[in-house]
Amino acid sequence: MTNARGVSLDLTTPEGVADAYLAHPDDGRPHPGILLYMDAFGLRPSLEAMARRLAGHGYTVLVPNVFYRAGRAPLVDLPDHIDPGKRPEIFEKLGPVMSALTPALAMRDAGSYLDWLAGSPLVAEGPVGSTGYCMGGVLGIRTAAAYPDRIAAVASFHAGRLATDAEDSPHRLADRITAELFFGHADQDPSLPADQIERLEHALDAAGVRYRSELYEGAHHGFTQADTAAYDADADDRHWRDLLALFGRTL
């Protein structure tokens, strides 16, 4: 690993300004770009630490506040240790913000994030990768489908509702994806039951997508997030191994 530094910045989008965090190796050279999509709790110190850790492996990592239309991060007062079961008001406030970020709006924003990466002297030429957590995993898959020529790999960890009956369900985008995908599913995740995993894999197989779909046994939704009650250190370690292996062979 190399030393990495991070900085807060603002990104211009067609509809305003998104606050973001950028982490990159401390060598001044261009490195493969990574778009890191946040979970619902948003841009905060623990995600910034994840970005710096990833950057230390030789990547330039951009973490946008995808909820920027509702305000700069953090949108809600978050405790140092997040336990939604004890703080139900957190999701009461975030729920409407999540619903307002439609797939169309999110993918319009994704174009701006990718444009920023493409124009940065800290990012090497060529397609970039993406990793996403919870809702961020869904955004990563949608971005791969919306910008197939710009995304080489996507990792999705403990994402829910990947293969529902909805017309805009992510699995219906499989035939638009050219990137290699990795899915790290939480075994104890009611938002992604076994039948949805099967439906997702069937759609990916039918479309000829290169992917790995793995079940992290015993892990709960949110297992990678060290500042939450769902955190699982063993599953998180496995997540880092799988994530770095994906980017190592694609970027």
Side-chain angles (χ1 to χ4, degrees), residues 5-7 9 20-25 31-37 47-48 50-64 116-117 122-123 129 131 247:
R5 65 171 59 183
V7 61
L9 50 85
Y21 184 79
L22 182 74
H24 58 90
H31 294 270
I34 304 292
L35 177 57
L36 192 159
Y37 275 124
L47 274 185
E48 294 174 358
M50 291 178 71
R52 290 193 300 273
R53 179 172 176 176
L54 184 53
H57 288 275
Y59 300 101
T60 297
V61 186
L62 180 67
V63 193
W116 191 94
L117 286 169
L122 295 173
V123 179
T131 182
F247 291 155

Side-chain angles (χ1 to χ4, degrees), residues 114-243:
L114 293 173
D115 285 345
W116 191 94
L117 286 169
S120 172
L122 295 173
V123 179
E125 293 184 3
V128 304
S130 179
T131 182
Y133 303 90
C134 301
M135 59 164 277
V138 176
L139 292 177
I141 300 306
R142 293 193 184 282
T143 302
Y147 301 94
D149 58 331
R150 304 178 73 174
I151 303 292
V154 174
S156 170
F157 293 97
H158 47 77
R161 300 183 60 78
L162 288 172
T164 70
D165 293 330
E167 291 185 3
D168 62 353
S169 175
H171 79 287
R172 302 186 191 280
L173 302 172
D175 61 354
R176 306 179 192 178
I177 294 173
T178 59
E180 181 175 340
L181 309 181
F182 181 89
F183 297 91
H185 306 300
D187 186 32
Q188 305 296 310
D189 189 350
S191 71
L192 193 74
D195 64 311
Q196 283 200 40
I197 296 176
E198 183 179 359
R199 181 184 295 176
L200 171 67
E201 293 173 351
H202 178 75
L204 295 171
D205 287 336
V209 177
R210 294 167 297 147
Y211 75 96
R212 287 175 59 188
S213 174
E214 297 194 4
L215 196 65
Y216 285 39
E217 295 184 2
H220 292 261
H221 185 82
F223 63 79
T224 62
Q225 302 301 299
D227 61 347
T228 74
Y231 182 65
D232 183 320
D234 290 339
D236 184 34
D237 285 344
R238 178 180 170 186
H239 137 261
W240 280 106
R241 291 193 299 271
D242 289 333
L243 178 64

